[in-house]
Amino acid sequence: MKQALLEAQKAGERGEVPVGAVVVCKDRIVARAHNLTETLTDVTAHAEMQAITAAAATLGGKYLNECTLYVTVEPCVMCAGAIAWAQVGRLVFGAEDAKRGYLHYAPQALHPKTAVLKGILAEECAGLMKEFFIAKRR
Amino acid sequence: MKQALLEAQKAGERGEVPVGAVVVCKDRIVARAHNLTETLTDVTAHAEMQAITAAAATLGGKYLNECTLYVTVEPCVMCAGAIAWAQVGRLVFGAEDAKRGYLHYAPQALHPKTAVLKGILAEECAGLMKEFFIAKRR
């Protein structure tokens, strides 16, 4: 999750909402990504989406059932759907997102076999988001 | 929707689940795409996702509030999330998807301003899917 936080910081530094994601397979990082929606003018360029695409490319298969996806903020509905299609083995996220998180809109969206762990480094993950939005409002 | 069906046929011809999508803005097709999840080894490569990314690139802006997205099959949760982020003005889909469609998992996933019209050329759209899966089982 510390690596995902580093990715989130990179996003924030380039004016993107600071969310970072890392995919780990058998103790090896196979993908890392941060939000690039503004840079790419593409709403689908969330950290998780890119990490899933990159991990599948690295591993040579669509399914990530032996992988853990670490992401600093609770995934949105779109990303939860992608996590389901990829059959991600384990999802670990930091801060909750009461407004846009999948747990509110689509709690059943994930694959039933995906284990979920939340609240890891939650304060640091949420802190980055708060700082970003406070700075934006100035 | 006929153009989206042509895209779906292209997908089927290359062994992909036959789903096609087209984005129209002010009477002009600004993006067309078909499912490429197998070809790209990427679960996120649904027709709608690619069409949204391509339309944003063509128009030079993330939001598609003046656009209509035509898609042959009811979007999944992932695609519904993307449609929400892009604030698509109107979603028109053909066949319903009781198993994977967003209406089952996340009926509130779309942006509240997105108008939805369903059942357009539904038989043709569903027919392509049925043919594909029957052929696959042989």
Side-chain angles (χ1 to χ4, degrees):
Chain A
M1 186 58 92
K2 283 185 182 163
Q3 294 297 316
L5 264 167
L6 286 175
E7 287 296 320
Q9 278 164 356
K10 283 186 209 167
E13 283 161 14
R14 60 196 298 168
E16 299 279 358
V17 174
V19 182
V22 166
V23 177
V24 172
C25 185
K26 295 175 186 164
D27 296 327
R28 194 165 64 95
I29 291 178
V30 293
R32 47 194 316 148
H34 54 265
N35 179 33
L36 283 174
T37 50
E38 298 302 326
T39 307
L40 299 179
T41 318
D42 184 356
V43 297
T44 75
H46 282 192
E48 304 93 309
M49 304 297 283
Q50 296 176 75
I52 288 169
T53 298
T58 301
L59 298 172
K62 278 194 306 176
Y63 300 115
L64 306 177
N65 47 301
E66 294 189 5
C67 299
T68 298
L69 170 66
Y70 294 87
V71 55
T72 56
V73 180
E74 178 186 341
C76 73
V77 169
M78 172 179 73
C79 293
I83 291 164
W85 284 116
Q87 301 183 15
V88 170
R90 198 164 66 121
L91 164 66
V92 180
F93 67 84
E96 292 190 33
D97 181 354
K99 206 173 159 193
R100 299 284 197 170
Y102 79 98
L103 287 170
H104 176 63
Y105 287 100
Q108 306 300 320
L110 297 186
H111 191 277
K113 284 192 184 165
T114 299
V116 180
L117 189 63
K118 61 183 182 176
I120 307 304
L121 297 183
E123 273 184 41
E124 291 88 331
C125 294
L128 271 182
M129 294 287 274
K130 274 179 207 153
E131 275 171 35
F132 177 83
F133 286 110
I134 287 168
K136 230 187 160 184
R137 275 188 217 108
R138 266 183 208 140
Chain B
M1 186 60 91
K2 281 184 182 166
Q3 294 298 315
L5 264 167
L6 286 176
E7 286 296 320
Q9 278 165 356
K10 283 186 209 167
E13 283 161 13
R14 60 196 299 168
E16 300 277 358
V17 174
V19 182
V22 165
V23 177
V24 173
C25 186
K26 294 174 184 163
D27 296 329
R28 193 165 65 93
I29 290 178
V30 293
R32 48 195 315 148
H34 54 264
N35 178 34
L36 282 174
T37 50
E38 298 301 325
T39 306
L40 300 178
T41 318
D42 184 357
V43 296
T44 75
H46 281 191
E48 304 94 310
M49 303 297 284
Q50 297 176 76
I52 288 169
T53 298
T58 302
L59 298 172
K62 277 194 309 177
Y63 300 116
L64 306 177
N65 47 302
E66 294 190 2
C67 298
T68 298
L69 170 65
Y70 294 88
V71 55
T72 56
V73 179
E74 179 185 339
C76 72
V77 169
M78 172 180 73
C79 293
I83 291 164
W85 285 116
Q87 301 184 14
V88 170
R90 198 164 65 121
L91 164 66
V92 180
F93 68 83
E96 293 190 33
D97 181 353
K99 204 175 160 194
R100 298 283 197 172
Y102 79 98
L103 287 170
H104 175 62
Y105 286 100
Q108 306 300 320
L110 297 186
H111 192 279
K113 283 191 182 164
T114 299
V116 180
L117 188 63
K118 61 183 183 176
I120 308 302
L121 298 182
E123 273 184 44
E124 290 88 334
C125 294
L128 271 183
M129 294 285 274
K130 274 179 209 155
E131 275 171 35
F132 177 82
F133 286 109
I134 288 168
K136 227 184 161 188
R137 273 188 220 109
R138 262 181 212 142

